[in-house]
Amino acid sequence: MAPEPKKKLPRVQFDYDKVEPKPALEPPCPSSDVAKNKVPNHYSYAKLSHEKIAAIRAKATTAGKDINLDYAQPSDLYPESFPHFVRGRDSAREYITKLFTSRIAFYDGAMGTMIQNFSKKNKLEEEEYRGEHFKDWKCNVKGNNDMLSMTRPDVISGIYKQYLEIGGSDMIGTNTFSSTTIAMADYEMEDYAYELNYEGARLARLACDEVTAADPSRPRFVVGAIGPTNRTGSISPSVEDPSVRNVTFDELVETYFEQAVGLVDGGSDILMVETIFDTLNAKAALYAVGEYLEFSGLDIPVFVSGTLVDQSGRTLSGQTGEAFYASIRHAKPMCVGLNCALGAQHMVPFVEKLAKCVECFMHVYSNAGLPNAMGGYDETPEMMAEYNKVFFEKGWLNMVGGCCGSTPPHIKAIRECAQNFSPRPLPAVGRPKMWLSGLEDLVVDDVHNHLGLPFLNVGERCNIAGSIKFKKLMMKGDYGSAMDIAKAQVEDGAHVIDINVDDGMLDGLAAMQKFVKIAVTEPEVCKVPFMLDASKFEIVMAGLKWCQGKPIVNSISLKVGEKLFKEQATLLKKHGAAVVVMAFDENGQAAEEDEKVRICKRSYDMLVDEVGFPPEDIIFDPNVLTIGTGMEEHNDYGIDFINATKRIKEQCPYVKISGGISNLSFGFRGVTKIRESIHAVFLHHAILESGMDVGIVNAKEMLAIDDLEEDMKILCENLVFNKDPDSTDEMLERTAYERACIDARKKGLPPPRKPRGKMINRPRVQFDYDKVEPKPALEPPCPSSDVAKNKVPNHYSYAKLSHEKIAAIRAKATTAGKDINLDYAQPSDLYPESFPHFVRGRDSAREYITKLFTSRIAFYDGAMGTMIQNFSKKNKLEEEEYRGEHFKDWKCNVKGNNDMLSMTRPDVISGIYKQYLEIGGSDMIGTNTFSSTTIAMADYEMEDYAYELNYEGARLARLACDEVTAADPSRPRFVVGAIGPTNRTGSISPSVEDPSVRNVTFDELVETYFEQAVGLVDGGSDILMVETIFDTLNAKAALYAVGEYLEFSGLDIPVFVSGTLVDQSGRTLSGQTGEAFYASIRHAKPMCVGLNCALGAQHMVPFVEKLAKCVECFMHVYSNAGLPNAMGGYDETPEMMAEYNKVFFEKGWLNMVGGCCGSTPPHIKAIRECAQNFSPRPLPAVGRPKMWLSGLEDLVVDDVHNHLGLPFLNVGERCNIAGSIKFKKLMMKGDYGSAMDIAKAQVEDGAHVIDINVDDGMLDGLAAMQKFVKIAVTEPEVCKVPFMLDASKFEIVMAGLKWCQGKPIVNSISLKVGEKLFKEQATLLKKHGAAVVVMAFDENGQAAEEDEKVRICKRSYDMLVDEVGFPPEDIIFDPNVLTIGTGMEEHNDYGIDFINATKRIKEQCPYVKISGGISNLSFGFRGVTKIRESIHAVFLHHAILESGMDVGIVNAKEMLA
């Protein structure tokens, strides 16, 4: 039996899964152009010349006779408006849609009943059946009702007329229920099949036309009736041999094709495949009809009607109504329903079920109750109408009629009952789903397996390659026992049975057919769908023709070439099968991720766009290949499959992904536990993270990931994801152990010793504050100033700013002495007080931007440089124009200094500002000040003009924004003061010989940026943007300067920050990832953070996604218009750039968007129009704060586990003069290169952070610290981790801090310097964004005992958090690890004192970390590493896992678990 199902896990959602269902305007339409375009049937059948149609006519008994084949009507015969209809002018498909959606339509009743009734009053014996034409026929024909269309056309025409005139039928079925060569064989009249269909339809045509002419507002239609024949493709006529059949699929297709030709030639408007008790017959009929419509080029609506034989609600061949529909829906019938076998009252539950799932129109034509003892039907017209009433009340039907026992009065009564009810509305059209069937239906997209995974288990044990037992049975021809294997798989949780009989010693064609023919007679097997699996296409096709359900065919691929691939896919589409498409092409099998994606995408485009294959019926198999083989090139096969799965599903909407899972672990065959454990991990990630849907598995043996032992899970993850180069060896070692366990169990011996394997991550101690649930964010993280926290509006009256540093800058500026405007406040009543209006001096910009960015996506401007270039192409803008009058005699060339145009050509700059505002629709424009710093202006010897350039750039923007705002005050426009990166970098050496050289210092950067901030604000900027950051150290200097300015001015001005990732590595020029860049600057509490420049939007996608997952504030992007071309220009049109940006809006990643290099106002306009219907990025929920450090990569300390599985930050001690004699000697020699090797080795050995300490009386600590850090930040293998800057003198750590682009830890400060200096030092570190180690020292000395440690740390915490405003998560307390085992009794409790104090400090001081120098503990045992590390192991185990210690200065390489 299948195991107890587990909790259902959610399915991966892709964009196309999130589309809301839309109202259906028509039923699902066939894929032919004539159907899709509603091309009217021309009804001129004489011109149909396809050879197959011509051949049928030529061999028919009508051959040589002058029969009518043209039924077109004059186009003006009746009015053009509905409800009139003219053949040849109007589309029957379109008409029926209007009819069936406007009222319930009416079909006819029983032909047989009416013939019986006629015979009761009139002579209708053998003689009358024969008539003149068949008077000498060789066998009895009485009972062959269909032939009456030829021998007694008066009787049949009379019945047709009664249904039309008395019953009021809109449509009548032709008297052709048995008019197939197969059914007519009972009367030896096979040759008359065409003529019987032709005459049956012709008489109905005449009757309908006569009644329509009497009332053209109610046109009547001929429904060509295609019955089931008297043979069945799914049921054996032999009780001894279930594989016997008395008809083949191809024979059925042949007979049905001939019937279709005759029915249409006779004038049918619609074709109805009816009274289906074996769906395989119906599939053959629909295949034949499909072929006819393809050959004829006509659009003729097709109806399908099933028959559920009793109250089981199943067809004679065992299918439920839903499975019957799933099996035939590929043919896109216009109307589906039930008829015959039951009365209306017995059909109710089955009609209800069908009504819930059928996508097209629905009908019922029930019997007039169940037959009585005499074979008659007792329901009166009134009774039958009453029993049908529930269908109308429930709104389940679009058409209704009657079957056995019904007559024109019955139809009339039903019509009168139904006419006041509305028809069934078509169900809404949602995302398409794969809908398979056996005896029962199965929607693959809704499946969860027995492990709770959204995954279709395809049973592998009826596959010769997947089961030795099955192979042996097939070789013996023991199909009965083979069925037992199939049954067991279903019981064990297989949703689908894979059938593969590929073997060189077996006749695959015969074996496949026999297996399927027997399997479809075994209810416990065929209740599920089949996967027909073979290497030869003709074998799967042979099996497919015996499947009444909708199976999967496995497989086709492009390795046969495009032509044959499309031919095979077209054939499968016609049969309605789903298909597995292998990731093979003409060049072979796809092994690597990109190849898997490429081949699948190529196949998808061909299948969907050229073949018209339903995308939801495509299953890609990107090849699960074997890992753990010992060959390096195979190591990524698992992750390549997982990654490819997600990309294929993203690029190929609605497809499924499958694979043969046993392939993955083939190298570990023989040990099921190992193999299934590998599969569990692989499937867990492939399914839940990438969206894998299907797999060929042994369901009984499958394991859930939660069922794995933790160490086994780690081994499997390392192997599947290629996390560890030793993963294969470790898994082989574990395999050997598991095999030894199996042998031991067999021999009754104890199990062998288990290999240690990988360490398991241990849980972190939880305190009360760790258990608080995240809360919705109402605003981005706010700076700690009172004006920011209280949203105090900027007064914009800058003349009154009197801080000496601001005054000094103004005094030395080139504007000194000039009467410049410094006041931008507006009258408080200038515009309404409510959002979206804004008045300077009255409203808070911080508050306004929060409302704007949470209500819609805002729009920034585009490239200033591009616009200046464009201007210069049409207007003279040479050296002379750059200089202008003011600089006409300047001492050096200035062309290219775009910022100075704010002074010399303000008309050009103002014009560009206006274009972005008016054409682009920008909400905010950046000032023309990208290079307006003293440092950058040195290139033009214009350092003295830095203030004025910023002032003028901002002033012009202010005027432009105010003018545009005045025109529409409901869209205020804002000036963003642009602070560029300068042309010098703090982190990168300009010298190839000496990595410690720099051409600028942090303090010089701060000075130049402070002056820029003063000029930008004095010019009227509303916001300050530190942008195009390719070196985060420069950005940190800019943010430090801006912070100082805001502190000195007392203003609250929002700050935005924009980084630049220079290429597809996703890193800045100075090597940081986007996440590390954010972690390095987030202390400044920017209101909005994002990316700009260097890349086009399409190249930014993965990096924007990563940032969007971690940034706590608002987010923006302003990308380039693609990558530069060979001429340095940009080729993306506005439409292209908008399309490439669209993913950001669809994913909800942005609050603001704009453009950088190559973008113009039309680009911004196109982006704005693209974005305006999307919602902005919601701010992430606010959870417990965490320490977030950075080097080149970011590191969340609270989430770290070390190499021993402990929740502990390893701080490497070997770059500390006190911790390494070797390091000390190198520093004394000035051998920084070898010192870097020590740092690299520590990172390799497991250090998360590098401690840097150069304290020594014989060394210039200030110089040594700076040089070490400057070199270290150029060594990627060192600076990828954060630093701990460690010194006894505060000025030394500060000197090192100013060369760190990342967020480091400073070690240390303490109260031993007194409260005043302690707070000053802490304030300075807070401004620089450093985390800090605080020693448990105070004015009285070092804390040794537990209570003292706690007291000093709590006192320090309150001072730091409450008075300085230091982030508590950035505080690391070091309560002093002191030496034990000294022989002095008073030292004996130092270890336990530290451990106890740790827990108490963490309880009393939320969010802090606890650290210590671990080597101090065992100092008395120095010289014996094993002893020392053993002591450390016990100490750390308890300090970390019981008290919550987080950090320690250690030698990671020597640590013991």
Side-chain angles (χ1 to χ4, degrees):
M1 296 297 291
E4 189 69 25
K6 298 198 175 188
K7 180 183 176 184
K8 290 181 179 179
L9 296 165
R11 193 175 300 270
V12 177
Q13 294 288 293
F14 295 89
D15 289 345
Y16 48 82
D17 293 314
K18 301 167 188 171
V19 177
E20 289 297 313
K22 295 178 182 177
L25 303 178
E26 62 178 342
C29 185
S31 59
S32 67
D33 288 339
V34 286
K36 287 190 287 189
N37 296 316
K38 316 293 184 296
V39 176
N41 179 351
H42 51 67
Y43 282 89
S44 301
Y45 303 133
K47 64 185 180 184
L48 297 182
S49 58
H50 189 276
E51 59 185 356
K52 196 165 178 184
I53 297 171
I56 285 169
R57 290 173 177 167
K59 74 178 180 66
T61 49
T62 56
K65 296 180 183 177
D66 184 20
I67 63 172
N68 179 39
L69 295 177
D70 293 321
Y71 302 92
Q73 297 174 307
S75 61
D76 59 354
L77 179 63
Y78 302 130
E80 289 194 12
S81 60
F82 181 84
H84 302 90
F85 181 85
V86 171
R87 291 194 299 278
R89 181 193 74 187
D90 299 322
S91 159
R93 183 173 301 282
E94 207 160 32
Y95 187 92
I96 291 164
T97 298
K98 289 177 183 174
L99 175 63
F100 280 16
T101 53
S102 59
R103 66 173 173 86
I104 297 172
F106 304 102
Y107 195 41
D108 63 6
M111 175 62 71
T113 298
M114 291 296 287
I115 291 171
Q116 284 177 345
N117 290 350
F118 179 87
S119 69
K120 291 174 184 176
K121 300 175 183 176
N122 305 274
K123 187 169 182 283
L124 200 61
E125 299 298 332
E126 181 71 21
E127 181 183 352
E128 285 71 31
Y129 269 87
R130 289 172 176 258
E132 186 63 27
H133 193 92
F134 296 101
K135 65 180 180 179
D136 299 322
W137 198 247
K138 47 203 161 189
C139 65
N140 288 339
V141 294
K142 183 183 177 185
N144 184 357
N145 289 344
D146 293 13
M147 72 184 292
L148 294 174
S149 299
M150 292 177 65
T151 58
R152 290 298 304 270
D154 58 314
V155 174
I156 302 305
S157 293
I159 294 169
Y160 286 155
K161 291 280 291 292
Q162 289 181 68
Y163 278 118
L164 291 165
E165 294 174 338
I166 300 169
S169 299
D170 296 292
M171 303 172 185
I172 56 170
T174 56
N175 179 38
T176 57
F177 185 80
S178 298
S179 295
T180 57
T181 53
I182 290 172
M184 283 296 136
D186 287 355
Y187 303 100
E188 302 182 41
M189 293 182 69
E190 298 96 314
D191 293 344
Y192 284 86
Y194 172 87
E195 188 170 1
L196 289 171
N197 284 288
Y198 175 83
E199 287 298 328
R202 186 184 66 80
L203 296 177
R205 176 79 283 150
L206 292 171
C208 284
D209 286 357
E210 183 182 337
V211 175
T212 299
D215 180 4
S217 70
R218 275 202 68 201
R220 311 303 174 96
F221 293 88
V222 177
V223 179
I226 299 174
T229 81
N230 53 357
R231 299 188 181 187
T232 62
S234 298
I235 301 169
S236 173
S238 167
V239 292
E240 289 84 18
D241 188 350
S243 71
V244 170
R245 295 294 185 274
N246 57 14
V247 71
T248 68
F249 185 88
D250 292 338
E251 289 167 348
L252 287 166
V253 169
E254 187 178 356
T255 196
Y256 282 131
F257 189 93
E258 181 173 356
Q259 185 169 31
V261 175
L263 288 169
V264 176
D265 280 1
S268 297
D269 303 291
I270 296 158
L271 294 174
M272 166 90 87
V273 180
E274 69 164 345
T275 320
I276 298 162
F277 49 82
D278 179 353
T279 312
L280 186 55
N281 285 38
K283 286 174 70 178
L286 291 167
Y287 185 89
V289 168
E291 294 291 274
Y292 172 78
L293 295 177
E294 181 182 335
F295 300 160
S296 65
L298 300 174
D299 176 31
I300 297 176
V302 176
F303 294 4
V304 182
S305 195
T307 296
L308 307 181
V309 294
D310 55 32
Q311 288 300 101
S312 69
R314 293 180 181 261
T315 62
L316 187 65
S317 56
Q319 279 198 315
T320 64
E322 300 94 309
F324 139 69
Y325 176 64
S327 304
I328 56 88
R329 62 189 279 272
H330 65 276
K332 299 290 190 292
M334 196 168 186
C335 187
V336 165
L338 299 177
N339 77 291
C340 205
L342 302 173
Q345 70 270 44
H346 312 108
M347 286 188 175
V348 172
F350 315 127
V351 174
E352 180 176 18
K353 287 178 182 177
L354 263 189
K356 288 176 180 175
C357 72
V358 164
E359 301 137 303
C360 56
F361 296 122
M362 255 194 71
H363 68 254
V364 162
Y365 50 110
S366 69
N367 290 353
L370 296 177
N372 58 29
M374 302 298 293
Y377 295 87
D378 299 328
E379 282 182 9
T380 63
E382 294 72 27
M383 290 166 66
M384 191 174 180
E386 185 62 29
Y387 288 137
N388 271 271
K389 189 176 182 182
V390 65
F391 303 143
F392 316 140
E393 291 173 329
K394 297 288 189 180
W396 290 339
L397 300 187
N398 304 92
M399 182 179 83
V400 67
C403 203
C404 305
S406 63
T407 64
H410 286 84
I411 302 306
K412 178 185 179 186
I414 290 169
R415 177 169 55 81
E416 289 171 348
C417 176
Q419 61 191 4
N420 293 324
F421 291 94
S422 296
R424 173 181 180 260
L426 288 168
V429 179
R431 58 99 76 219
K433 296 182 177 183
M434 178 181 285
W435 195 352
L436 306 176
S437 59
L439 296 186
E440 297 168 8
D441 70 314
L442 181 79
V443 180
V444 174
D445 303 70
D446 298 340
V447 161
H448 279 76
N449 72 3
H450 58 296
L451 300 180
L453 294 167
F455 185 75
L456 188 82
N457 294 343
V458 179
E460 69 180 6
R461 312 309 282 175
C462 288
N463 182 324
I464 280 182
S467 169
I468 294 172
K469 182 179 178 182
F470 180 75
K471 179 176 180 176
K472 289 178 178 176
L473 293 172
M474 293 305 293
M475 292 301 181
K476 286 167 56 182
D478 187 351
Y479 286 85
S481 298
M483 290 303 133
D484 292 337
I485 291 177
K487 289 176 195 172
Q489 286 188 92
V490 177
E491 290 170 2
D492 290 333
H495 303 109
V496 171
I497 295 297
D498 182 53
I499 303 169
N500 182 309
V501 290
D502 267 1
D503 191 272
M505 302 297 289
L506 200 62
D507 180 349
L509 204 64
M512 175 64 84
Q513 293 186 79
K514 186 166 185 176
F515 188 97
V516 174
K517 285 194 284 185
I518 296 173
V520 298
T521 68
E522 291 279 356
E524 292 309 306
V525 175
C526 65
K527 71 178 181 182
V528 302
F530 297 159
M531 176 181 277
L532 306 173
D533 187 354
S535 56
K536 293 179 181 176
F537 188 70
E538 60 267 26
I539 294 177
V540 293
M541 280 307 304
L544 179 57
K545 290 178 180 179
W546 295 113
C547 280
Q548 70 166 330
K550 180 187 177 91
I552 302 167
V553 162
N554 186 3
S555 64
I556 63 172
S557 78
L558 279 165
K559 73 178 173 186
V560 298
E562 288 191 3
K563 183 174 180 293
L564 186 54
F565 175 70
K566 288 188 278 189
E567 288 174 4
Q568 291 174 347
T570 301
L571 194 54
L572 295 177
K573 175 191 169 193
K574 290 178 178 181
H575 280 273
V579 65
V580 175
V581 180
M582 300 296 296
F584 277 77
D585 68 3
E586 301 86 341
N587 299 317
Q589 182 183 47
E592 296 175 353
E593 178 184 338
D594 288 344
E595 275 299 281
K596 294 176 190 289
V597 177
R598 180 187 67 78
I599 293 175
C600 291
K601 182 66 167 74
R602 179 186 167 205
S603 303
Y604 179 86
D605 292 342
M606 214 171 287
L607 289 169
V608 175
D609 299 337
E610 298 179 49
V611 176
F613 207 96
E616 68 274 19
D617 280 349
I618 299 169
I619 304 171
F620 282 118
D621 184 335
N623 309 317
V624 175
L625 301 175
T626 306
I627 58 175
T629 63
M631 297 176 69
E632 189 176 349
E633 59 268 33
H634 297 176
N635 292 349
D636 281 332
Y637 281 168
I639 190 64
D640 277 349
F641 184 97
I642 291 170
N643 291 343
T645 292
K646 189 169 189 180
R647 289 172 60 192
I648 293 164
K649 295 206 71 169
E650 287 169 343
Q651 295 179 35
C652 304
Y654 312 121
V655 302
K656 310 295 173 283
I657 302 291
S658 179
I661 308 305
S662 63
N663 294 346
L664 186 74
S665 63
F666 193 69
F668 302 94
R669 57 195 178 277
V671 185
T672 301
K673 179 179 176 181
I674 294 291
R675 298 192 71 181
E676 292 301 336
S677 298
I678 294 169
H679 300 169
V681 167
F682 174 80
L683 287 173
H684 179 86
H685 293 280
I687 295 165
L688 298 180
E689 294 167 12
S690 292
M692 186 181 183
D693 313 83
V694 184
I696 300 176
V697 295
N698 183 349
K700 185 177 183 179
E701 300 292 348
M702 288 177 76
L703 299 174
I705 197 167
D706 293 339
D707 296 335
L708 305 188
E709 298 155 336
E710 193 63 30
D711 58 338
M712 177 70 88
K713 180 177 162 185
I714 292 168
L715 285 169
C716 293
E717 286 177 344
N718 288 343
L719 185 69
V720 169
F721 291 100
N722 192 18
K723 290 182 176 181
D724 187 332
D726 299 325
S727 58
T728 297
D729 291 338
E730 289 167 356
M731 186 58 86
L732 287 170
E733 182 185 18
R734 182 59 177 266
T735 304
Y737 163 75
E738 296 293 348
R739 190 175 279 117
C741 288
I742 294 169
D743 292 341
R745 281 195 295 273
K746 287 178 181 176
K747 296 173 183 175
L749 299 173
R753 184 176 179 182
K754 189 175 183 180
R756 178 175 172 181
K758 293 291 180 185
M759 303 304 296
I760 299 166
N761 285 350
R762 304 296 295 271
R764 194 174 300 272
V765 177
Q766 295 286 294
F767 296 89
D768 289 344
Y769 49 81
D770 293 314
K771 301 166 188 171
V772 178
E773 289 296 312
K775 296 179 181 177
L778 303 178
E779 61 178 342
C782 186
S784 58
S785 67
D786 288 340
V787 286
K789 287 191 286 189
N790 295 317
K791 316 293 183 297
V792 176
N794 178 352
H795 50 65
Y796 282 88
S797 299
Y798 302 135
K800 64 185 180 184
L801 298 182
S802 58
H803 189 277
E804 58 185 357
K805 198 166 178 184
I806 297 171
I809 285 169
R810 291 173 177 166
K812 74 178 180 69
T814 50
T815 55
K818 295 179 184 177
D819 184 21
I820 62 172
N821 179 41
L822 295 177
D823 294 321
Y824 302 93
Q826 296 173 307
S828 62
D829 60 352
L830 179 62
Y831 302 130
E833 290 193 14
S834 59
F835 180 84
H837 302 90
F838 181 85
V839 171
R840 292 194 297 277
R842 181 192 73 187
D843 300 321
S844 159
R846 182 174 301 280
E847 206 160 34
Y848 186 92
I849 291 166
T850 298
K851 289 179 182 174
L852 175 63
F853 280 15
T854 52
S855 59
R856 67 172 172 86
I857 296 172
F859 305 101
Y860 197 40
D861 62 6
M864 175 62 73
T866 298
M867 291 296 286
I868 291 171
Q869 284 177 341
N870 290 350
F871 179 87
S872 70
K873 291 173 185 175
K874 300 176 183 176
N875 306 274
K876 189 167 179 282
L877 199 61
E878 299 298 332
E879 181 69 23
E880 181 183 351
E881 286 70 34
Y882 270 85
R883 288 172 177 258
E885 186 63 29
H886 194 93
F887 296 100
K888 65 180 179 180
D889 300 321
W890 197 249
K891 48 203 163 189
C892 66
N893 287 339
V894 293
K895 184 183 176 185
N897 183 358
N898 289 344
D899 292 15
M900 73 184 292
L901 294 174
S902 299
M903 294 177 64
T904 59
R905 287 300 303 271
D907 58 314
V908 173
I909 303 306
S910 293
I912 293 169
Y913 286 154
K914 290 280 292 293
Q915 288 182 67
Y916 278 118
L917 292 164
E918 294 176 336
I919 298 171
S922 300
D923 296 294
M924 304 172 184
I925 56 169
T927 57
N928 179 39
T929 56
F930 185 79
S931 299
S932 295
T933 57
T934 52
I935 291 173
M937 281 297 137
D939 288 354
Y940 304 100
E941 301 181 41
M942 293 182 68
E943 298 96 314
D944 293 344
Y945 282 87
Y947 172 87
E948 188 169 0
L949 289 170
N950 284 288
Y951 175 83
E952 286 299 327
R955 184 184 67 81
L956 296 176
R958 176 79 280 151
L959 292 172
C961 283
D962 286 359
E963 183 181 336
V964 175
T965 300
D968 181 4
S970 71
R971 275 202 68 199
R973 312 302 173 95
F974 294 87
V975 177
V976 178
I979 299 174
T982 82
N983 53 358
R984 298 188 181 187
T985 61
S987 298
I988 303 169
S989 173
S991 167
V992 292
E993 289 84 18
D994 187 350
S996 70
V997 171
R998 297 293 186 275
N999 56 15
V1000 71
T1001 69
F1002 186 87
D1003 292 338
E1004 288 167 348
L1005 288 166
V1006 169
E1007 186 178 355
T1008 197
Y1009 283 131
F1010 189 91
E1011 180 173 357
Q1012 186 169 29
V1014 175
L1016 287 169
V1017 177
D1018 280 0
S1021 296
D1022 303 292
I1023 296 159
L1024 293 175
M1025 166 88 86
V1026 180
E1027 69 165 349
T1028 320
I1029 299 161
F1030 48 82
D1031 180 355
T1032 312
L1033 186 56
N1034 285 39
K1036 287 174 71 177
L1039 291 167
Y1040 186 91
V1042 168
E1044 294 292 274
Y1045 173 78
L1046 296 177
E1047 181 182 337
F1048 299 160
S1049 65
L1051 300 174
D1052 176 30
I1053 296 178
V1055 177
F1056 293 4
V1057 182
S1058 196
T1060 295
L1061 308 180
V1062 293
D1063 56 31
Q1064 289 300 100
S1065 69
R1067 292 179 181 262
T1068 62
L1069 188 65
S1070 55
Q1072 280 197 314
T1073 64
E1075 302 94 306
F1077 139 70
Y1078 176 64
S1080 303
I1081 56 90
R1082 63 189 277 272
H1083 65 277
K1085 299 290 191 289
M1087 196 167 187
C1088 187
V1089 165
L1091 299 176
N1092 76 292
C1093 205
L1095 302 173
Q1098 70 270 43
H1099 313 108
M1100 286 187 175
V1101 172
F1103 315 127
V1104 175
E1105 181 176 17
K1106 288 177 182 176
L1107 263 190
K1109 289 176 179 175
C1110 71
V1111 164
E1112 301 138 303
C1113 58
F1114 296 123
M1115 256 193 72
H1116 68 254
V1117 162
Y1118 50 110
S1119 70
N1120 289 354
L1123 298 176
N1125 58 31
M1127 302 299 290
Y1130 295 86
D1131 298 326
E1132 281 183 11
T1133 63
E1135 295 71 27
M1136 289 166 66
M1137 191 173 179
E1139 184 61 29
Y1140 288 136
N1141 271 270
K1142 190 176 181 182
V1143 64
F1144 303 143
F1145 317 139
E1146 291 173 329
K1147 298 287 189 180
W1149 290 339
L1150 299 187
N1151 305 92
M1152 183 179 82
V1153 66
C1156 203
C1157 305
S1159 64
T1160 64
H1163 287 84
I1164 303 305
K1165 179 185 179 187
I1167 290 170
R1168 177 169 55 81
E1169 290 171 348
C1170 177
Q1172 60 192 5
N1173 293 323
F1174 292 94
S1175 298
R1177 173 181 181 260
L1179 288 167
V1182 180
R1184 59 97 78 219
K1186 296 183 177 183
M1187 178 181 286
W1188 195 352
L1189 306 176
S1190 59
L1192 296 187
E1193 297 166 8
D1194 69 314
L1195 181 79
V1196 180
V1197 174
D1198 303 68
D1199 298 340
V1200 161
H1201 280 78
N1202 73 2
H1203 59 299
L1204 301 179
L1206 294 169
F1208 185 75
L1209 189 82
N1210 294 344
V1211 178
E1213 69 180 4
R1214 311 309 282 176
C1215 289
N1216 182 322
I1217 280 181
S1220 169
I1221 295 171
K1222 182 179 178 181
F1223 180 74
K1224 179 175 179 176
K1225 287 178 179 177
L1226 292 172
M1227 293 305 292
M1228 291 301 180
K1229 285 167 57 182
D1231 187 353
Y1232 285 85
S1234 298
M1236 290 302 132
D1237 291 337
I1238 291 177
K1240 288 178 196 172
Q1242 287 188 91
V1243 177
E1244 290 169 2
D1245 291 336
H1248 303 110
V1249 172
I1250 296 295
D1251 181 50
I1252 303 170
N1253 184 310
V1254 291
D1255 268 0
D1256 190 273
M1258 302 296 291
L1259 201 61
D1260 179 349
L1262 205 63
M1265 175 64 85
Q1266 293 186 80
K1267 187 166 185 176
F1268 188 95
V1269 173
K1270 285 195 284 184
I1271 296 173
V1273 297
T1274 68
E1275 291 279 356
E1277 293 308 307
V1278 175
C1279 66
K1280 70 179 181 182
V1281 302
F1283 297 158
M1284 177 182 276
L1285 306 173
D1286 188 354
S1288 57
K1289 294 178 180 177
F1290 188 70
E1291 61 268 27
I1292 294 178
V1293 292
M1294 279 308 302
L1297 180 56
K1298 290 179 179 180
W1299 294 114
C1300 279
Q1301 69 166 332
K1303 179 187 177 90
I1305 303 167
V1306 163
N1307 187 4
S1308 64
I1309 63 173
S1310 76
L1311 280 166
K1312 73 178 174 185
V1313 298
E1315 288 191 3
K1316 182 173 180 294
L1317 186 54
F1318 175 71
K1319 287 188 281 188
E1320 287 175 3
Q1321 291 174 346
T1323 300
L1324 195 54
L1325 295 177
K1326 175 191 168 193
K1327 289 179 178 180
H1328 281 272
V1332 65
V1333 175
V1334 181
M1335 301 297 297
F1337 278 77
D1338 67 3
E1339 301 86 343
N1340 300 316
Q1342 181 184 49
E1345 297 176 352
E1346 178 184 338
D1347 289 344
E1348 275 299 282
K1349 294 176 189 290
V1350 177
R1351 181 187 66 77
I1352 294 175
C1353 291
K1354 183 65 168 76
R1355 179 185 168 206
S1356 303
Y1357 179 86
D1358 292 342
M1359 213 171 289
L1360 289 169
V1361 174
D1362 299 338
E1363 299 179 48
V1364 176
F1366 206 95
E1369 68 274 18
D1370 281 349
I1371 300 169
I1372 303 171
F1373 282 120
D1374 184 335
N1376 310 316
V1377 174
L1378 302 176
T1379 305
I1380 59 175
T1382 64
M1384 298 176 68
E1385 189 176 349
E1386 59 268 32
H1387 296 176
N1388 292 351
D1389 283 335
Y1390 279 170
I1392 192 62
D1393 277 349
F1394 184 97
I1395 291 171
N1396 291 343
T1398 292
K1399 189 169 189 179
R1400 289 173 60 192
I1401 294 164
K1402 294 204 71 168
E1403 287 170 341
Q1404 295 179 35
C1405 304
Y1407 311 122
V1408 301
K1409 311 294 172 283
I1410 302 293
S1411 178
I1414 307 305
S1415 63
N1416 294 346
L1417 186 73
S1418 62
F1419 194 69
F1421 303 94
R1422 58 193 177 279
V1424 186
T1425 300
K1426 181 178 179 181
I1427 294 293
R1428 298 193 71 183
E1429 291 302 333
S1430 298
I1431 294 168
H1432 300 168
V1434 170
F1435 173 80
L1436 286 172
H1437 179 87
H1438 294 282
I1440 295 166
L1441 299 180
E1442 294 169 10
S1443 292
M1445 186 180 183
D1446 313 83
V1447 184
I1449 301 176
V1450 295
N1451 183 349
K1453 185 176 183 180
E1454 302 291 347
M1455 289 177 76
L1456 300 175

